[in-house]
């Protein structure tokens, strides 16, 4: 699995759900992915198989063969994908300003006191680590 921050900047909803299944399981067959995706909306086996093939052609996943069964795994670590997708969001919607993203969420979401305390701690921790550099 890739460990650097090279990787996809955008994934569709179904692609992201499939990646989450593969990250959680490590490796999975089409049937296992389909089973784990069942919940909100049942998807046909062929739909999942087609999506995995398309994702493989994009380099998002790869497969191993065990007999006639393909076993898929993510080609990128979850942290790399989430970093790239978050960076893309900040760049495209907030012109690279993290403070604008935070301001947007604070003004449009109901944020609990607990969550605000966590955010304050994260800011203090980041300031301390920047001061040590």
């Amino acid at each position: 699995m890739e460990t650097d921050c090279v990787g996809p900047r955008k994934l569709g909803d179904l692609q992201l759900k499939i990646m989450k299944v593969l990250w959680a399981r490590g490796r999975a067959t089409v049937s296992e992915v389909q089973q784990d995706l069942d919940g909100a909306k049942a998807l046909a086996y062929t739909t999942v198989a087609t999506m995995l093939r398309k994702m493989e052609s994009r380099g998002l996943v790869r497969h191993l063969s065990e007999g006639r069964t393909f076993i898929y795994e993510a080609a990128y670590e979850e942290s790399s994908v989430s970093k790239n997708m978050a960076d893309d969001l900040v760049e495209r919607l907030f012109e690279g300003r993290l403070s604008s993203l935070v301001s947007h969420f604070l003004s449009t979401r109901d944020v609990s006191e607990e969550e605000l305390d966590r955010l304050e701690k994260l800011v203090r921790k980041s300031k301390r680590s920047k001061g040590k550099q």
Side-chain angles (χ1 to χ4, degrees):
M1 200 175 316
E2 299 285 335
T3 56
D4 57 14
C5 290
V6 175
R9 294 181 68 81
K10 298 175 191 172
L11 293 175
D13 290 343
L14 180 55
Q15 290 173 330
L16 185 56
K17 287 176 184 174
I18 289 171
M19 292 295 280
K20 286 181 178 184
V21 169
L22 295 176
W23 289 323
R25 283 183 167 264
R27 294 181 174 161
T29 64
V30 175
S31 294
E32 290 168 337
V33 172
Q34 179 193 24
Q35 179 183 13
D36 286 6
L37 288 175
D38 275 353
K41 177 177 142 186
L43 294 170
Y45 177 93
T46 54
T47 301
V48 176
T50 299
M51 182 56 72
L52 281 163
R53 281 193 304 278
K54 288 179 179 180
M55 291 172 71
E56 186 169 27
S57 71
R58 281 188 58 199
L60 299 171
V61 301
R62 57 183 162 249
H63 78 270
L64 309 159
S65 296
E66 282 189 10
R68 293 177 43 143
T69 304
F70 282 8
I71 301 173
Y72 289 89
E73 63 183 8
Y76 295 96
E77 290 184 3
E78 184 175 8
S79 60
S80 178
V81 173
S82 62
K83 179 192 181 316
N84 286 341
M85 289 180 71
D87 286 349
D88 185 60
L89 173 72
V90 172
E91 290 299 322
R92 288 188 309 125
L93 290 179
F94 301 100
E95 298 174 353
R97 293 189 306 268
L98 185 57
S99 60
S100 295
L101 170 85
V102 173
S103 175
H104 170 77
F105 283 129
L106 291 175
S107 65
T108 61
R109 297 177 69 102
D110 184 24
V111 183
S112 69
E113 287 289 326
E114 206 175 86
E115 189 71 10
L116 289 170
D117 289 343
R118 275 188 243 135
L119 289 169
E120 287 175 344
K121 286 176 186 174
L122 289 169
V123 169
R124 283 194 301 273
K125 182 180 176 182
S126 183
K127 281 184 175 183
R128 280 194 303 269
S129 69
K130 295 282 183 203
K132 292 179 183 179
Q133 293 178 356

